[in-house]
Amino acid sequence: MTKKALFIDPGRCIGCQACVAACRECDSHPGKSMIHLDYPDPGNSTAAAPTVCMHCSDPVAPCAQVCPTDAIPIDEQGIVGSASEELCIGCGNCVHACPFGVPKLDLVEMLQSKCDMCYDRTSQGKLPMCASVCPTDALFFGTQAELMQKRPGVQAVDIFGFGDETVRTNNAMVAPAGKNLDRIPGGYSREPDSRE
Amino acid sequence: MNDQPLDYSILPPDPGGARPTWDPSAAAAGLIATAVLALAIYSGSANLLHFDAALVGYTLATLFLAFGATYRLVTWSRSPAARRYLSKSRKALLPRPLGDGTLTASAREVTSTVLLQRFIAKRSRPRWLAHQGLFWGVILATLITFPLTFGWIHFRAVPGTGSGYYVYMMGVRAAHLDALSLLGWLTFHALDLASLLILSGGAYFLWHRWSTRGNSLTQLGRDLMPLLALMAISVTGLALTVSSVFMEGAWYQPLAFVHMCTVVLTLVWIPFGKFFHTLQRPAMAGVGLHKELGVQKGGVAQCVRCGEPVEGTIFLDDLKQTMGELGLGFGDWVETCPSCKRLERGAAYRNHVKEGYR
């Protein structure tokens, strides 16, 4: 594999917040962290779940598709950027359409922002800020071959299931190698009718 | 995983980039807009009697602008999200029966978002001030130069006065002006004032681009070139005044040619790059008001997981329809707030992917 991507392994995340702090140092959004670090079961578990933009490739970036002003850029490599300042009207479509819950909306500035894989850095061959400081490789940036060389007991999965729908992404999640997975469950499995 | 080589480019992605496929009906709309403008120029200049042939380059560029901008507007408005919000924005801004406050609300929204651009002030006051300079400079220059170029406005000397002029609009004598009066001086130097407004705003943005490391890497090509284009127009325009006032017209002709080149290139460029936001944003000026009215009418939806407010019910219904039209089959997922989406995915990972992860 020659493609470089972020490989996310929540199982290795210790919730130290180093990625959150480092993200704030990125030149493209100084002072604002674009990464989400959630604690799924606080009080009962130390588990933590980092969320970066997965840069959806199929369907291509739902956030950009629902943007009424074409404000969200996608480059030739499929990297989905933050909304353009001159075009974003702060409507929030992208925030709610994203199946991963990634984009952030500043309601004062009426401006969306999101993880852009540290475009400034990765375009210069550097690691994204989060991956550069992660002490446990819960956020690993590199090729899949590099990941497998470092951690032979894992597999990378870049397909997510949301109900009957699947979303393919440029970044991937890490799963145990022996696990028979055709997709990573996205958390959305309920049928609309069952919620009534 | 898909096995595509990832070769990050330094060139930034271009938001709002033109749709790559040729659209014949959008081209037809563009041709109609061009024809209407050409007809308006012909009739407004008394069958080209008042049309200045020396300005034909500007006119041709403006005709191309009419085609390109209409083409882009039509293709842009085809996307489900844009089409829906263009319609909602227009409906929100349209005055309804007087006395219910919506006319005032519409006027306030347009003033705030289109004219004063208060959203920029909330991001940065210096940037807002600089943008206001650019905005009003361009508006002033546009209001003066387009009618002049089209022959819709022309001046005629008042015989025997030396400094007196009649101002004709669409062939009708509309005003009398003394070039030596304050009003006359302001009128004949309004483009200089516009240039100074643009240059002062542009100088700030130029400094800002240079001093912000992130911007200098990611927005150099896309942001800097339009800025330099506006500043080049202003500098060469001011140079014409300098030539005529202080240099007895020396270098006027070559300067006028260079000035025309900067204007023509910029006009032709408007539909394709950053300048297109000058049409997109005003077209969406009523979206904020639409959301506000939607919350008043339909209330706020609560997250199906945590019960916290998510967004206006009408807004979410709009979004679900948009997602349905786009073939995004997880439209009902919008009823879950972003935070709960992440937590649900985290729980699913713990339960189905890495069960030992506790």
Side-chain angles (χ1 to χ4, degrees):
Chain A
M1 289 275 177
T2 55
K3 176 182 176 177
K4 283 190 173 182
L6 264 172
F7 296 90
I8 302 128
D9 187 347
R12 292 175 77 99
C13 179
I14 57 172
C16 69
Q17 304 254 1
C19 55
V20 177
C23 186
R24 280 195 287 267
E25 301 300 318
C26 185
D27 282 334
S28 59
H29 46 84
K32 289 181 181 177
S33 187
M34 296 294 119
I35 197 168
H36 298 275
L37 188 57
D38 298 295
Y39 300 93
D41 194 10
N44 299 314
S45 164
T46 55
T51 300
V52 295
C53 178
M54 301 305 290
H55 300 279
C56 304
S57 58
D58 183 18
V60 173
C63 58
Q65 288 197 50
V66 298
C67 177
T69 57
D70 294 343
I72 300 176
I74 308 167
D75 84 341
E76 312 81 48
Q77 311 300 331
I79 301 302
V80 185
S82 276
S84 146
E85 289 195 19
E86 74 266 14
L87 288 173
C88 180
I89 56 173
C91 68
N93 266 9
C94 54
V95 172
H96 296 286
C98 173
F100 296 97
V102 168
K104 294 184 174 184
L105 181 64
D106 188 321
L107 289 171
V108 176
E109 298 188 354
M110 292 305 278
L111 183 64
Q112 179 259 32
S113 52
K114 61 179 278 298
C115 156
D116 62 357
M117 286 266 275
C118 288
Y119 202 91
D120 287 3
R121 295 175 56 82
T122 47
S123 63
Q124 304 289 304
K126 296 177 183 174
L127 294 175
M129 292 300 283
C130 56
S132 72
V133 298
C134 181
T136 60
D137 276 347
L139 293 160
F140 175 85
F141 185 75
T143 63
Q144 192 178 17
E146 288 167 346
L147 175 75
M148 303 307 289
Q149 191 179 14
K150 205 167 182 182
R151 298 179 59 196
V154 299
Q155 61 174 319
V157 184
D158 62 356
I159 299 178
F160 294 81
F162 294 97
D164 293 334
E165 298 293 319
T166 56
V167 174
R168 189 161 203 153
T169 58
N170 280 299
N171 286 337
M173 297 285 280
V174 174
K179 196 85 182 176
N180 186 20
L181 281 171
D182 60 345
R183 64 180 74 174
I184 297 277
Y188 170 58
S189 56
R190 289 164 299 188
E191 294 298 324
D193 291 341
S194 67
R195 296 189 209 172
E196 298 299 323
Chain B
M1 284 199 57
N2 43 7
D3 192 8
Q4 300 292 319
L6 190 63
D7 176 23
Y8 286 117
S9 163
I10 291 176
L11 282 177
D14 182 12
R19 299 279 187 276
T21 49
W22 177 248
D23 188 327
S25 54
L31 285 174
I32 290 170
T34 310
V36 169
L37 178 60
L39 205 63
I41 292 171
Y42 184 76
S43 58
S45 60
N47 302 344
L48 300 183
L49 183 68
H50 306 303
F51 183 81
D52 186 349
L55 304 178
V56 72
Y58 294 101
T59 308
L60 290 175
T62 312
L63 288 170
F64 180 84
L65 167 64
F67 173 82
T70 307
Y71 183 94
R72 271 295 308 274
L73 282 170
V74 171
T75 52
W76 166 54
S77 66
R78 291 247 169 82
S79 84
R83 187 177 63 244
R84 177 156 287 109
Y85 271 172
L86 282 169
S87 163
K88 304 276 183 183
S89 170
R90 192 174 60 244
K91 283 179 186 161
L93 290 178
L94 273 182
R96 282 168 292 271
L98 289 174
D100 66 350
T102 51
L103 183 61
T104 317
S106 300
R108 193 178 57 235
E109 192 74 6
V110 170
T111 306
S112 173
T113 59
V114 179
L115 300 179
L116 296 178
Q117 300 140 4
R118 290 209 170 102
F119 62 94
I120 304 180
K122 288 170 184 167
R123 297 172 188 177
S124 157
R125 288 195 77 81
R127 203 185 306 173
W128 169 76
L129 203 58
H131 195 270
Q132 283 282 290
L134 284 182
F135 175 76
W136 288 109
V138 169
I139 291 290
L140 183 60
T142 303
L143 289 176
I144 294 167
T145 53
F146 279 43
L148 276 176
T149 304
F150 299 159
W152 292 349
I153 294 179
H154 70 279
F155 297 88
R156 195 174 289 171
V158 180
T161 60
S163 61
Y165 288 91
Y166 290 126
V167 184
Y168 287 79
M169 295 174 119
M170 309 297 274
V172 178
R173 195 162 81 191
H176 172 265
L177 201 63
D178 184 350
L180 299 179
S181 68
L182 179 64
L183 184 63
W185 188 91
L186 285 172
T187 303
F188 286 105
H189 288 84
L191 283 178
D192 294 329
L193 294 175
S195 295
L196 291 174
L197 280 171
I198 291 169
L199 284 174
S200 53
Y204 170 82
F205 282 117
L206 211 54
W207 170 81
H208 188 258
R209 296 282 175 271
W210 239 267
S211 59
T212 308
R213 287 179 61 201
N215 282 348
S216 68
L217 276 174
T218 59
Q219 300 178 5
L220 195 67
R222 200 174 60 78
D223 275 5
L224 196 61
M225 292 310 288
L227 192 57
L228 290 178
L230 286 180
M231 295 180 81
I233 291 172
S234 304
V235 168
T236 53
L238 282 176
L240 290 173
T241 301
V242 170
S243 167
S244 63
V245 175
F246 301 110
M247 297 165 63
E248 298 178 340
W251 294 89
Y252 195 91
Q253 285 303 326
L255 281 172
F257 178 74
V258 173
H259 180 64
M260 188 181 74
C261 289
T262 59
V263 175
V264 166
L265 287 173
T266 305
L267 288 175
V268 168
W269 192 3
I270 284 175
F272 305 108
K274 180 173 180 171
F275 286 130
F276 193 61
H277 82 277
T278 57
L279 300 175
Q280 280 179 304
R281 281 208 76 108
M284 290 289 181
V287 170
L289 189 59
H290 161 65
K291 285 187 72 175
E292 207 178 301
L293 295 171
V295 168
Q296 287 172 19
K297 193 176 167 189
V300 176
Q302 268 85 40
C303 171
V304 295
R305 184 179 182 272
C306 69
E308 290 294 313
V310 182
E311 263 288 1
T313 307
I314 291 176
F315 167 85
L316 290 184
D317 287 343
D318 284 346
L319 180 56
K320 279 194 266 187
Q321 283 182 46
T322 299
M323 292 176 73
E325 288 170 31
L326 288 164
L328 300 170
F330 40 89
D332 288 320
W333 198 210
V334 305
E335 294 168 5
T336 305
C337 73
S339 174
C340 285
K341 284 179 185 171
R342 299 192 300 271
L343 290 170
E344 292 259 12
R345 198 179 65 257
Y349 186 88
R350 292 202 305 154
N351 295 332
H352 303 294
V353 180
K354 215 174 201 179
E355 292 86 346
Y357 157 47
R358 291 286 179 237

